[in-house]
Amino acid sequence: MSINTAFPDPGLLELPWDLPLERWPAEVLAAYPRGLSRHVVRFARVGERVVAVKETTAHYARREYGLLRRLQRMGTPSVVPDSVVTDRCTPEGEPLPAALVTDHLSFSLPYRAIFEQLPSPDTVERLVDALASLIVQLHLSGFYWGDVSLSNTLFRRDAGAFAAYLVDAETGELHSRLTRGQREYDIDLARTNVAGEVMDLLAGEHMQRRLAEEGVDPASVDPFAISDRLVETCTGLWEELTATETFSVAERWRVQARVERLNDLGFDVEEASLDSDESGRVHLRPRVVEPGHHSRRLLHLTGLSTQENQARRILTDIDQFGRALYPGLPEDLTAQLWMREIFMPIMSAIPPDLRRKREPAQIVHEVLEHRWFMSENARADVPTGTAAQDYVQSYLALRPDEKDVF
């Protein structure tokens, strides 16, 4: 047995590599919801960590490991590759498949588990919007997926939306730049796969019961309208991020307006071409756009690592907090006061045994939303500490864990 890894961990040696993955004993496994896969996949405990193990061929394990490492270096949303395990054999000397090991993405869930918790048409639409954003980010990086689907994606809560992460890169290819044909094939495949996955999701007896419990008519979820929404979102986002905009020299304000629109979408312009022609018209085309505008800004101000929509929500609250209590104070000082007077009291109100249920930034977002609803009902401002305590008792304590479940 041979383990190739960039992160040597002797705990990997303790896993039962001499057994087929489907026969691994329960004591080494983590009971965590799995998505659909053509391969045998299991979650296993390695010390304090949880890893996902997928059986495949040595060639594909090495290839996918290399692709995921390159995507990580590019900052693309994807799981972190840990190691490749080859030359596995049973005690009797029978060869076993190779395995790709990736770190489990904490607080992430497959789409089926999310829809089971929140069975509504809105949930599917938010998942599809997150997948569309991921597809565009991958295409901007030059990554051709080749097997786009909800099943090959994990999702994290991101304020009122979701953030999507690539899980399966087995069929992927990384290029310096994708052709239009490669992008369109990926999106067309996504249209077909997503429609089929939504139909399959709605057809299950268990899901039919959950929908009935929530008073949701399965007919209100149209798989083909959902997949069309995916295509429209991908096309619109790609156009906004890459299209050339033409205007006169007198309309120079449109340069800043384009940058601000991209910032609102959560992207920074790292590089752009700005050319003028013989008629005096100016042609503006973003050449390099970088996702994570709001999360980078919040990280700089507070040190908090968040998803993009979480950052947008928290930045809004910091701004409102400063305007109400510290008008005129510089933003960086306002952010530090917000950390002391809002963030820390919220996190202090969360019992340690409940912190596995949500990421800290998601907890903050949900408490702020809870405070708003409580204030609306009371027709008066409710203190953050009061809202946090009520949130813990009436909501968070009733939620399932979304970190590593053993």
Side-chain angles (χ1 to χ4, degrees), residues 237-261:
L237 183 56
W238 181 267
E239 182 73 11
E240 183 62 56
L241 294 176
T242 64
T244 298
E245 188 172 352
T246 302
F247 47 88
S248 69
V249 175
E251 298 177 296
R252 289 190 295 269
W253 57 268
R254 292 178 61 174
V255 176
Q256 184 59 31
R258 180 71 177 276
V259 171
E260 289 176 356
R261 291 204 307 274

mmCIF file of all heavy atoms in Angstrom, residues 237-261:
data_model
loop_
_atom_site.group_PDB
_atom_site.id
_atom_site.type_symbol
_atom_site.label_atom_id
_atom_site.label_comp_id
_atom_site.label_asym_id
_atom_site.label_seq_id
_atom_site.Cartn_x
_atom_site.Cartn_y
_atom_site.Cartn_z
ATOM 1 N N LEU A 237 -24.805 35.897 -16.140
ATOM 2 C CA LEU A 237 -23.632 36.214 -15.323
ATOM 3 C C LEU A 237 -22.372 36.251 -16.175
ATOM 4 O O LEU A 237 -21.530 37.147 -16.014
ATOM 5 C CB LEU A 237 -23.494 35.187 -14.201
ATOM 6 C CG LEU A 237 -22.354 35.408 -13.197
ATOM 7 C CD1 LEU A 237 -22.450 36.786 -12.553
ATOM 8 C CD2 LEU A 237 -22.369 34.318 -12.128
ATOM 9 N N TRP A 238 -22.216 35.297 -17.079
ATOM 10 C CA TRP A 238 -21.045 35.281 -17.957
ATOM 11 C C TRP A 238 -20.991 36.541 -18.812
ATOM 12 O O TRP A 238 -19.928 37.152 -18.977
ATOM 13 C CB TRP A 238 -21.078 34.040 -18.856
ATOM 14 C CG TRP A 238 -19.899 33.945 -19.778
ATOM 15 C CD1 TRP A 238 -19.807 34.405 -21.061
ATOM 16 C CD2 TRP A 238 -18.612 33.397 -19.463
ATOM 17 N NE1 TRP A 238 -18.551 34.153 -21.574
ATOM 18 C CE2 TRP A 238 -17.799 33.548 -20.616
ATOM 19 C CE3 TRP A 238 -18.074 32.787 -18.337
ATOM 20 C CZ2 TRP A 238 -16.479 33.097 -20.669
ATOM 21 C CZ3 TRP A 238 -16.754 32.343 -18.381
ATOM 22 C CH2 TRP A 238 -15.971 32.501 -19.529
ATOM 23 N N GLU A 239 -22.135 36.959 -19.336
ATOM 24 C CA GLU A 239 -22.195 38.157 -20.173
ATOM 25 C C GLU A 239 -21.765 39.391 -19.373
ATOM 26 O O GLU A 239 -20.977 40.218 -19.845
ATOM 27 C CB GLU A 239 -23.612 38.331 -20.712
ATOM 28 C CG GLU A 239 -23.798 39.520 -21.640
ATOM 29 C CD GLU A 239 -23.172 39.316 -23.010
ATOM 30 O OE1 GLU A 239 -22.774 38.176 -23.333
ATOM 31 O OE2 GLU A 239 -23.071 40.311 -23.754
ATOM 32 N N GLU A 240 -22.279 39.525 -18.150
ATOM 33 C CA GLU A 240 -21.946 40.692 -17.332
ATOM 34 C C GLU A 240 -20.465 40.714 -16.977
ATOM 35 O O GLU A 240 -19.841 41.777 -16.919
ATOM 36 C CB GLU A 240 -22.786 40.686 -16.056
ATOM 37 C CG GLU A 240 -22.573 41.899 -15.167
ATOM 38 C CD GLU A 240 -22.968 43.212 -15.833
ATOM 39 O OE1 GLU A 240 -24.127 43.343 -16.269
ATOM 40 O OE2 GLU A 240 -22.103 44.104 -15.928
ATOM 41 N N LEU A 241 -19.873 39.546 -16.764
ATOM 42 C CA LEU A 241 -18.482 39.473 -16.323
ATOM 43 C C LEU A 241 -17.479 39.625 -17.462
ATOM 44 O O LEU A 241 -16.336 40.004 -17.227
ATOM 45 C CB LEU A 241 -18.226 38.142 -15.610
ATOM 46 C CG LEU A 241 -18.949 37.920 -14.278
ATOM 47 C CD1 LEU A 241 -18.663 36.526 -13.753
ATOM 48 C CD2 LEU A 241 -18.526 38.958 -13.254
ATOM 49 N N THR A 242 -17.898 39.309 -18.695
ATOM 50 C CA THR A 242 -16.908 39.244 -19.782
ATOM 51 C C THR A 242 -17.214 40.125 -20.984
ATOM 52 O O THR A 242 -16.336 40.346 -21.815
ATOM 53 C CB THR A 242 -16.775 37.787 -20.284
ATOM 54 O OG1 THR A 242 -18.028 37.363 -20.868
ATOM 55 C CG2 THR A 242 -16.403 36.851 -19.148
ATOM 56 N N ALA A 243 -18.428 40.630 -21.119
ATOM 57 C CA ALA A 243 -18.815 41.335 -22.348
ATOM 58 C C ALA A 243 -18.071 42.655 -22.492
ATOM 59 O O ALA A 243 -17.738 43.326 -21.517
ATOM 60 C CB ALA A 243 -20.320 41.587 -22.362
ATOM 61 N N THR A 244 -17.829 43.023 -23.739
ATOM 62 C CA THR A 244 -17.234 44.322 -24.054
ATOM 63 C C THR A 244 -18.333 45.378 -24.080
ATOM 64 O O THR A 244 -19.385 45.180 -24.681
ATOM 65 C CB THR A 244 -16.530 44.281 -25.417
ATOM 66 O OG1 THR A 244 -15.473 43.318 -25.375
ATOM 67 C CG2 THR A 244 -15.957 45.650 -25.778
ATOM 68 N N GLU A 245 -18.094 46.487 -23.423
ATOM 69 C CA GLU A 245 -19.057 47.587 -23.356
ATOM 70 C C GLU A 245 -18.485 48.769 -24.124
ATOM 71 O O GLU A 245 -17.318 49.134 -23.935
ATOM 72 C CB GLU A 245 -19.310 47.956 -21.888
ATOM 73 C CG GLU A 245 -20.427 48.941 -21.670
ATOM 74 C CD GLU A 245 -20.750 49.100 -20.197
ATOM 75 O OE1 GLU A 245 -20.202 48.331 -19.371
ATOM 76 O OE2 GLU A 245 -21.540 50.001 -19.853
ATOM 77 N N THR A 246 -19.284 49.353 -24.998
ATOM 78 C CA THR A 246 -18.812 50.451 -25.851
ATOM 79 C C THR A 246 -19.571 51.737 -25.518
ATOM 80 O O THR A 246 -20.795 51.730 -25.380
ATOM 81 C CB THR A 246 -19.011 50.104 -27.339
ATOM 82 O OG1 THR A 246 -18.307 48.891 -27.634
ATOM 83 C CG2 THR A 246 -18.478 51.223 -28.226
ATOM 84 N N PHE A 247 -18.825 52.833 -25.408
ATOM 85 C CA PHE A 247 -19.445 54.119 -25.070
ATOM 86 C C PHE A 247 -18.537 55.246 -25.545
ATOM 87 O O PHE A 247 -17.393 55.027 -25.947
ATOM 88 C CB PHE A 247 -19.689 54.222 -23.559
ATOM 89 C CG PHE A 247 -18.506 53.813 -22.712
ATOM 90 C CD1 PHE A 247 -17.536 54.733 -22.366
ATOM 91 C CD2 PHE A 247 -18.363 52.491 -22.286
ATOM 92 C CE1 PHE A 247 -16.451 54.361 -21.595
ATOM 93 C CE2 PHE A 247 -17.287 52.107 -21.520
ATOM 94 C CZ PHE A 247 -16.322 53.042 -21.163
ATOM 95 N N SER A 248 -19.052 56.469 -25.476
ATOM 96 C CA SER A 248 -18.275 57.620 -25.930
ATOM 97 C C SER A 248 -17.334 58.091 -24.814
ATOM 98 O O SER A 248 -17.524 57.764 -23.639
ATOM 99 C CB SER A 248 -19.219 58.764 -26.320
ATOM 100 O OG SER A 248 -19.857 59.287 -25.161
ATOM 101 N N VAL A 249 -16.341 58.868 -25.195
ATOM 102 C CA VAL A 249 -15.388 59.403 -24.225
ATOM 103 C C VAL A 249 -16.106 60.255 -23.181
ATOM 104 O O VAL A 249 -15.713 60.293 -22.014
ATOM 105 C CB VAL A 249 -14.305 60.239 -24.939
ATOM 106 C CG1 VAL A 249 -13.381 60.902 -23.936
ATOM 107 C CG2 VAL A 249 -13.497 59.365 -25.893
ATOM 108 N N ALA A 250 -17.201 60.902 -23.578
ATOM 109 C CA ALA A 250 -17.948 61.740 -22.641
ATOM 110 C C ALA A 250 -18.663 60.918 -21.565
ATOM 111 O O ALA A 250 -19.154 61.470 -20.581
ATOM 112 C CB ALA A 250 -18.970 62.580 -23.407
ATOM 113 N N GLU A 251 -18.738 59.584 -21.772
ATOM 114 C CA GLU A 251 -19.426 58.713 -20.808
ATOM 115 C C GLU A 251 -18.430 57.929 -19.961
ATOM 116 O O GLU A 251 -18.644 56.771 -19.643
ATOM 117 C CB GLU A 251 -20.355 57.749 -21.547
ATOM 118 C CG GLU A 251 -21.471 58.402 -22.330
ATOM 119 C CD GLU A 251 -22.298 57.376 -23.088
ATOM 120 O OE1 GLU A 251 -21.744 56.712 -23.980
ATOM 121 O OE2 GLU A 251 -23.497 57.231 -22.785
ATOM 122 N N ARG A 252 -17.351 58.600 -19.590
ATOM 123 C CA ARG A 252 -16.315 57.905 -18.824
ATOM 124 C C ARG A 252 -16.847 57.330 -17.508
ATOM 125 O O ARG A 252 -16.289 56.390 -16.968
ATOM 126 C CB ARG A 252 -15.149 58.860 -18.535
ATOM 127 C CG ARG A 252 -14.324 59.212 -19.764
ATOM 128 C CD ARG A 252 -13.063 59.960 -19.375
ATOM 129 N NE ARG A 252 -13.372 61.262 -18.777
ATOM 130 C CZ ARG A 252 -13.488 62.395 -19.457
ATOM 131 N NH1 ARG A 252 -13.337 62.398 -20.770
ATOM 132 N NH2 ARG A 252 -13.753 63.541 -18.839
ATOM 133 N N TRP A 253 -17.934 57.891 -17.001
ATOM 134 C CA TRP A 253 -18.527 57.403 -15.758
ATOM 135 C C TRP A 253 -18.957 55.943 -15.865
ATOM 136 O O TRP A 253 -19.099 55.245 -14.852
ATOM 137 C CB TRP A 253 -19.753 58.255 -15.388
ATOM 138 C CG TRP A 253 -20.799 58.302 -16.458
ATOM 139 C CD1 TRP A 253 -20.916 59.220 -17.447
ATOM 140 C CD2 TRP A 253 -21.877 57.369 -16.639
ATOM 141 N NE1 TRP A 253 -21.996 58.943 -18.262
ATOM 142 C CE2 TRP A 253 -22.602 57.807 -17.783
ATOM 143 C CE3 TRP A 253 -22.298 56.230 -15.985
ATOM 144 C CZ2 TRP A 253 -23.735 57.127 -18.260
ATOM 145 C CZ3 TRP A 253 -23.417 55.546 -16.450
ATOM 146 C CH2 TRP A 253 -24.120 56.001 -17.574
ATOM 147 N N ARG A 254 -19.124 55.450 -17.092
ATOM 148 C CA ARG A 254 -19.578 54.066 -17.263
ATOM 149 C C ARG A 254 -18.504 53.057 -16.876
ATOM 150 O O ARG A 254 -18.818 51.901 -16.596
ATOM 151 C CB ARG A 254 -20.041 53.848 -18.709
ATOM 152 C CG ARG A 254 -21.318 54.632 -19.013
ATOM 153 C CD ARG A 254 -21.785 54.480 -20.433
ATOM 154 N NE ARG A 254 -22.100 53.095 -20.782
ATOM 155 C CZ ARG A 254 -22.639 52.741 -21.954
ATOM 156 N NH1 ARG A 254 -22.920 53.678 -22.854
ATOM 157 N NH2 ARG A 254 -22.889 51.479 -22.212
ATOM 158 N N VAL A 255 -17.248 53.496 -16.845
ATOM 159 C CA VAL A 255 -16.176 52.587 -16.383
ATOM 160 C C VAL A 255 -16.403 52.246 -14.917
ATOM 161 O O VAL A 255 -16.436 51.067 -14.525
ATOM 162 C CB VAL A 255 -14.794 53.242 -16.580
ATOM 163 C CG1 VAL A 255 -13.714 52.327 -15.998
ATOM 164 C CG2 VAL A 255 -14.528 53.514 -18.059
ATOM 165 N N GLN A 256 -16.577 53.275 -14.085
ATOM 166 C CA GLN A 256 -16.801 53.036 -12.662
ATOM 167 C C GLN A 256 -18.131 52.325 -12.424
ATOM 168 O O GLN A 256 -18.240 51.476 -11.533
ATOM 169 C CB GLN A 256 -16.776 54.354 -11.894
ATOM 170 C CG GLN A 256 -16.899 54.203 -10.379
ATOM 171 C CD GLN A 256 -15.796 53.361 -9.768
ATOM 172 O OE1 GLN A 256 -14.666 53.341 -10.272
ATOM 173 N NE2 GLN A 256 -16.112 52.644 -8.701
ATOM 174 N N ALA A 257 -19.133 52.642 -13.249
ATOM 175 C CA ALA A 257 -20.437 51.990 -13.093
ATOM 176 C C ALA A 257 -20.322 50.486 -13.354
ATOM 177 O O ALA A 257 -20.941 49.677 -12.658
ATOM 178 C CB ALA A 257 -21.453 52.619 -14.042
ATOM 179 N N ARG A 258 -19.512 50.116 -14.345
ATOM 180 C CA ARG A 258 -19.330 48.683 -14.650
ATOM 181 C C ARG A 258 -18.619 47.994 -13.494
ATOM 182 O O ARG A 258 -18.992 46.880 -13.087
ATOM 183 C CB ARG A 258 -18.510 48.528 -15.944
ATOM 184 C CG ARG A 258 -18.241 47.074 -16.368
ATOM 185 C CD ARG A 258 -19.489 46.390 -16.878
ATOM 186 N NE ARG A 258 -19.251 45.040 -17.354
ATOM 187 C CZ ARG A 258 -18.823 44.732 -18.582
ATOM 188 N NH1 ARG A 258 -18.565 45.692 -19.464
ATOM 189 N NH2 ARG A 258 -18.665 43.482 -18.938
ATOM 190 N N VAL A 259 -17.596 48.650 -12.960
ATOM 191 C CA VAL A 259 -16.868 48.082 -11.823
ATOM 192 C C VAL A 259 -17.802 47.891 -10.637
ATOM 193 O O VAL A 259 -17.778 46.843 -9.965
ATOM 194 C CB VAL A 259 -15.673 48.975 -11.437
ATOM 195 C CG1 VAL A 259 -15.044 48.495 -10.124
ATOM 196 C CG2 VAL A 259 -14.623 48.973 -12.547
ATOM 197 N N GLU A 260 -18.650 48.882 -10.389
ATOM 198 C CA GLU A 260 -19.573 48.784 -9.245
ATOM 199 C C GLU A 260 -20.598 47.680 -9.446
ATOM 200 O O GLU A 260 -20.980 46.997 -8.492
ATOM 201 C CB GLU A 260 -20.261 50.130 -9.026
ATOM 202 C CG GLU A 260 -19.310 51.195 -8.479
ATOM 203 C CD GLU A 260 -19.968 52.552 -8.357
ATOM 204 O OE1 GLU A 260 -21.152 52.676 -8.774
ATOM 205 O OE2 GLU A 260 -19.310 53.490 -7.877
ATOM 206 N N ARG A 261 -21.045 47.479 -10.704
ATOM 207 C CA ARG A 261 -21.986 46.384 -10.963
ATOM 208 C C ARG A 261 -21.334 45.039 -10.685
ATOM 209 O O ARG A 261 -21.943 44.138 -10.108
ATOM 210 C CB ARG A 261 -22.487 46.421 -12.412
ATOM 211 C CG ARG A 261 -23.395 47.570 -12.740
ATOM 212 C CD ARG A 261 -24.294 47.264 -13.937
ATOM 213 N NE ARG A 261 -23.560 46.806 -15.110
ATOM 214 C CZ ARG A 261 -23.023 47.624 -16.016
ATOM 215 N NH1 ARG A 261 -23.109 48.950 -15.848
ATOM 216 N NH2 ARG A 261 -22.406 47.136 -17.070
#
